[in-house]
Amino acid sequence: YDNKTRERYFPLKKLSEDQAKFCVYNSFLSEFAVLGFDYGYSLGCPNMLAMWEAQFGDFSNGAQVIIDQFIASAESKWQTPSSLVMLLPHGYEGMGPEHSSARLERFLQLCADDNIQVGNFTTPAQYFHALRRQKKRAFRKPLIIMTPKSLLSRAEAVSSMDDLIDGTCFQEILPDDKTFTNPEKVDRIVFCTGKVYYDLIQHREDTGNETTAILRVEQLYPYHEEMVKALSSQFPKAAKYVWCQEEPKNMGAWSYISPLLMDTFDARIRYAGRKAAASPATGSKAVHKREQKALLELAFNI
């Protein structure tokens, strides 16, 4: 807004003279109604990128009927494809049970027959390329993104201009950014998804660990087994495989990803995370910090 005239200016409407429309709406708090409308909009205007964001990820609970009946299954039932994007803030930051979990496990339980895409991204470039991919490729699929909260201001979660424009594209699995002087000394590979990656690398740096590699599963479904194998093959002596997550054991990606990783490596997959719980998260900041510290230590020692 102009501070004198109150005239509104939209920078994203001024990128080029022939650009597409850019529309933002602050919708009312009926997740069922608004997600249903946006899903219908994605069908009626297939060339437009329709994105629905929950105020908090768990608010998608109120739209579960739309997710189950249409977003996850409409292409199979009625041959009706959609490129709708659902943005669900997700991450354990000590803010309590209602502000932590977008119920990642529920979306992964709905995955089959290449019906939807589910991702938990760690860099701005990955987010950008995933959105761009929605419109640039020849087919349409709904995209569910566990969007960050603390990563919006975390100093390490940045991308260069080259990452955005120089021939790069979305990567389903991201390699370890650490340069290992002797990869054959790596005896453990920790797999994770989302913001816990930054906590893991900080813990590795603080403890001086030189024998653990950390790989990020940016796209959980569809699972890219070939890329997992290719990146893991850089560490030929690795014999321990760990899945680390912030969510309780009966939530998050563990139940979905563990059998896939087990098939990939024909080996036991160790679990590092919170124990099973009825509530998505504790309501105590102090308890949250203790739990987070414990799961990070477990990832490197189990």
Side-chain angles (χ1 to χ4, degrees):
Y1 287 88
D2 186 289
N3 64 356
K4 294 182 179 178
T5 67
R6 300 299 294 166
E7 182 182 358
R8 292 190 295 174
Y9 178 76
F10 302 90
L12 290 176
K13 285 186 175 181
K14 306 293 183 181
L15 299 179
S16 67
E17 292 183 359
D18 59 347
Q19 72 176 76
K21 290 181 180 179
F22 175 72
C23 312
V24 178
Y25 301 99
N26 187 13
S27 56
F28 60 99
L29 284 176
S30 171
E31 290 76 25
F32 174 85
V34 179
L35 182 60
F37 177 87
D38 287 350
Y39 171 77
Y41 206 95
S42 74
L43 303 181
C45 301
N47 293 326
M48 196 168 192
L49 179 62
M51 302 165 63
W52 177 81
E53 183 172 31
Q55 183 177 2
F56 294 102
D58 57 293
F59 283 19
S60 65
N61 291 347
Q64 199 65 47
V65 174
I66 299 297
I67 296 165
D68 292 346
Q69 296 294 103
F70 298 97
I71 294 173
S73 58
E75 184 175 2
S76 176
K77 293 189 292 187
W78 306 307
Q79 292 74 58
T80 308
S82 166
S83 61
L84 178 72
V85 177
M86 290 181 61
L87 306 173
L88 305 177
H90 179 83
Y92 283 61
E93 291 147 347
M95 301 301 291
E98 269 44 89
H99 294 169
S100 295
S101 179
R103 294 293 189 177
L104 172 60
E105 64 279 0
R106 293 182 180 175
F107 291 97
L108 293 175
Q109 288 171 351
L110 293 170
C111 292
D113 301 325
D114 296 321
N115 60 333
I116 58 178
Q117 309 152 100
V118 180
N120 194 358
F121 310 145
T122 55
T123 71
Q126 285 285 89
Y127 181 37
F128 169 76
H129 288 298
L131 294 180
R132 185 173 182 271
R133 185 178 67 170
Q134 282 296 95
K135 295 287 100 176
K136 294 296 290 184
R137 62 187 176 190
F139 59 90
R140 298 196 295 277
K141 296 285 180 182
L143 173 61
I144 317 300
I145 306 178
M146 303 288 115
T147 53
K149 289 183 284 184
S150 62
L151 293 195
L152 292 171
S153 58
R154 189 152 187 165
E156 308 98 296
V158 296
S159 298
S160 68
M161 190 65 74
D162 288 344
D163 293 332
L164 293 166
I165 64 174
D166 249 5
T168 54
C169 59
F170 179 76
Q171 300 176 71
E172 289 84 354
I173 315 292
L174 285 178
D176 197 320
D177 288 336
K178 180 179 175 65
T179 301
F180 291 93
T181 54
N182 188 357
E184 293 200 352
K185 286 188 176 181
V186 173
D187 61 6
R188 175 186 301 256
I189 300 177
V190 176
F191 294 91
C192 66
T193 186
K195 68 171 274 292
V196 74
Y197 165 74
Y198 293 102
D199 296 328
L200 285 166
I201 60 172
Q202 184 64 56
H203 184 83
R204 182 174 64 181
E205 183 178 327
D206 292 343
T207 58
N209 185 294
E210 294 288 337
T211 61
T212 301
I214 304 171
L215 301 183
R216 283 169 279 177
V217 182
E218 299 278 293
Q219 178 177 285
L220 290 152
Y221 187 86
Y223 171 67
H224 203 313
E225 184 177 32
E226 294 78 9
M227 190 173 285
V228 170
K229 287 180 177 179
L231 293 176
S232 300
S233 67
Q234 300 173 19
F235 311 104
K237 300 296 184 181
K240 295 179 182 177
Y241 303 98
V242 180
W243 175 260
C244 181
Q245 66 176 37
E246 298 181 299
E247 302 89 346
K249 194 172 185 179
N250 57 322
M251 304 177 198
W254 167 246
S255 297
Y256 159 81
I257 199 76
S258 56
L260 295 175
L261 292 173
M262 193 179 302
D263 287 345
T264 298
F265 298 107
D266 192 24
R268 174 192 172 196
I269 308 300
R270 294 166 166 83
Y271 172 77
R274 287 173 168 84
K275 65 180 183 179
S279 173
T282 178
S284 164
K285 185 85 170 182
V287 173
H288 163 79
K289 289 181 177 180
R290 288 200 302 268
E291 292 176 345
Q292 197 76 0
K293 183 175 183 290
L295 71 88
L296 294 174
E297 292 175 348
L298 196 60
F300 291 90
N301 296 298
I302 188 173

